[in-house]
Amino acid sequence: MAAAPSINSLPYEVRQTIYSLLAQHQTNSHRLHGGPASTIAHYAAVSQEWQEEFERFSFREIRVTPKRLKCFIHIFQSPRRRAIVQTLRYHVTLDKYPPHLDGEQETSEERRRSTAILTEALGTFFRAMTDWRRTDTSPLGLDLHLLVDSPSDSSELLDRNGTPLITSRALTSYLKLDLDTLSLPELDIFSGFRCTGRHMQPTSLLAIVSKLRALEYLDAELNHDSIRKRDVQQRNDFIAGLEQCAATVSVLSLRRPTPVHTTAPPKNPWSDFYARLRIFSQQCESFEFDDCVDAAQFFTPFIVGNLLDKTPMSQEVPFWVRLKRLNVRNSYLMKEPYFRVTSRIEALAHVQKVLVAVGRASRRMPELRFARVCQYVLTDGRLEWFVLTYECYAGRAVLRIRGFVPGKAMVDAWKHPIAEKRAEFHIRVENTDPNAPEL
């Protein structure tokens, strides 16, 4: 009697296609229908070969908690499994609190408790990861995603999509590390770092970043651009610290915390913060920011008429020799402290100024391949989007415009740098509103 056909008798490429389709089917089914987590791991019990193949899918992203850390270390003793992991999510859980405290900030004692939990959890994690070597990790890199929150941070109230809102306590109770007792060994295994959940003071983030010696990608949440002393000091200390401990970072993404009622500071584009940020961004290949950075102030050297006459002697006009990707998002008249203007007319003038300035700045970005400038204006309950997308590949540059009609100043600001690159220039206006303003 002939032996039963085996999947192992199929060509390698066919088997890989089968494994990929099964994994894709399970992932898509979970996304569409919800319910229990993906059952990809069940296929690993079929055979030794299936185990190794399906671990390539199920181990790409791993969630670890302090309680499960020892189990994680045991499971991933094998260099083969370590090389599969691309994202490691370390979830630190803070103490619960009763619903009647949802709207109140943490007390000093509760904040000290949160600090102690986070400091101890990070120390334990970093020491456990010293057993990993950079040669163990995936060729695609290994990202560390730190999530810190309390189980009580999800409110009973829902947003319009049915997602639980975050409590006021979670939004207003910031995190920080005990830098006096924190002791973290240096690690060279992580190429990316991101922190979400409760807002962590940027100086505490820097303490973590300083121990990640091979970091290339940093996604950080800045303090608000406000006049509060803590916000100003944290922003300045963070940017100054980046220059000292993030020399290997080439991809930088900056985010703002959830808005709270606070007042924006007077505009000062030549402040230490903006000066240092312009300097640090010149080492980046990708740079992204939202409301936490005012685009008009960041690109001020390209708004004035004569750059060299108007720029302070102590500050050079930036030259982003490595920058390939730029993403800028700013809003107007939406939430404090990011109103920026007092009327729609003023907001449109501001938007036009930013679009022109970024175009002029692209002249000093010789390697720029993609840029997206999104400006949002809220007036009378209506949100207007003004979006410019720039793509330059194979000697062809395309500007895509949405939400406005491009004016001569804006077109010239982008056309001249493109001409210097000797690339074909195409502009596509994708408006559906006949009343779109000219900018």
Side-chain angles (χ1 to χ4, degrees), residues 57-350:
F57 300 101
S58 57
F59 286 171
R60 283 179 183 173
E61 184 174 310
I62 299 296
R63 178 181 176 272
V64 185
T65 65
K67 290 182 179 179
R68 298 283 295 171
L69 186 57
K70 288 184 178 179
C71 181
F72 163 77
I73 295 300
H74 175 72
I75 293 174
F76 286 88
Q77 290 180 346
S78 163
R80 178 186 64 80
R81 285 179 170 174
R82 292 179 181 180
I84 297 171
V85 184
Q86 296 178 21
T87 301
L88 187 54
R89 297 181 182 272
Y90 189 51
H91 187 179
V92 179
T93 303
L94 305 177
D95 291 339
K96 294 182 179 181
Y97 51 89
H100 70 271
L101 295 179
D102 284 359
E104 299 182 15
Q105 281 190 337
E106 288 182 324
T107 64
S108 298
E109 180 59 34
E110 289 168 333
R111 187 173 293 118
R112 282 192 291 269
R113 169 65 178 162
S114 296
T115 295
I117 292 174
L118 178 57
T119 302
E120 181 182 357
L122 270 179
T124 303
F125 174 76
F126 268 65
R127 287 188 290 273
M129 296 304 294
T130 55
D131 187 48
W132 286 44
R133 299 290 178 265
R134 187 163 178 79
T135 53
D136 295 341
T137 59
S138 167
L140 299 176
L142 177 59
D143 291 343
L144 172 60
H145 180 179
L146 176 62
L147 170 61
V148 187
D149 62 9
S150 164
S152 306
D153 286 348
S154 294
S155 169
E156 295 179 354
L157 301 177
L158 305 178
D159 64 14
R160 65 182 65 181
N161 297 318
T163 304
L165 296 172
I166 304 300
T167 64
S168 296
R169 184 184 182 92
L171 296 177
T172 57
S173 299
Y174 64 89
L175 293 168
K176 66 177 182 178
L177 295 168
D178 187 345
L179 301 181
D180 294 329
T181 63
L182 182 68
S183 177
L184 301 180
E186 292 187 349
L187 299 175
D188 66 354
I189 60 173
F190 293 110
S191 54
F193 176 62
R194 186 169 191 251
C195 182
T196 59
R198 288 199 185 180
H199 173 68
M200 183 184 295
Q201 285 192 349
T203 48
S204 292
L205 282 177
L206 276 177
I208 302 173
V209 170
S210 66
K211 301 300 181 180
L212 305 178
R213 307 311 300 168
L215 196 64
E216 299 174 8
Y217 165 67
L218 174 60
D219 183 334
E221 187 175 86
L222 277 179
N223 277 48
H224 285 299
D225 186 9
S226 77
I227 60 175
R228 290 192 303 181
K229 182 178 180 180
R230 187 182 72 208
D231 289 342
V232 174
Q233 181 177 351
Q234 285 290 320
R235 288 164 64 87
N236 289 340
D237 290 350
F238 176 75
I239 294 301
L242 278 184
E243 298 176 3
Q244 301 174 8
C245 64
T248 58
V249 170
S250 60
V251 179
L252 179 63
S253 178
L254 300 176
R255 296 173 284 115
R256 61 160 175 78
T258 300
V260 294
H261 293 292
T262 183
T263 306
K267 288 181 169 46
N268 184 7
W270 309 116
S271 65
D272 284 346
F273 172 79
Y274 281 101
R276 290 180 180 275
L277 182 58
R278 281 190 284 265
I279 291 172
F280 185 84
S281 66
Q282 293 175 66
Q283 76 178 47
C284 294
E285 294 182 7
S286 176
F287 182 41
E288 176 179 355
F289 61 81
D290 63 8
D291 277 330
C292 65
V293 175
D294 188 303
Q297 294 190 70
F298 180 80
F299 288 107
T300 283
F302 303 94
I303 290 177
V304 295
N306 188 318
L307 303 184
L308 297 180
D309 287 347
K310 299 294 184 179
T311 304
M313 293 296 293
S314 60
Q315 298 186 25
E316 297 181 357
V317 178
F319 187 76
W320 294 274
V321 66
R322 302 176 61 190
L323 194 66
K324 295 181 174 65
R325 182 180 180 277
L326 176 68
N327 194 351
V328 176
R329 303 185 306 278
N330 272 178
S331 66
Y332 304 84
L333 300 172
M334 289 187 68
K335 291 184 178 180
E336 295 179 314
Y338 306 112
F339 283 151
R340 294 195 172 91
V341 293
T342 58
S343 66
R344 180 176 181 270
I345 293 176
E346 189 180 353
L348 294 181
H350 213 78

Side-chain angles (χ1 to χ4, degrees), residues 366-380:
E367 298 299 318
L368 189 66
R369 295 292 176 265
F370 175 85
R372 192 166 188 260
V373 184
C374 302
Q375 308 283 281
Y376 315 107
V377 179
L378 180 65
T379 52
D380 299 326

Side-chain angles (χ1 to χ4, degrees), residues 10-17 53 56:
L10 297 175
Y12 174 80
E13 293 78 5
V14 175
R15 282 180 285 155
Q16 292 301 307
T17 300
E53 291 299 330
R56 291 192 302 111

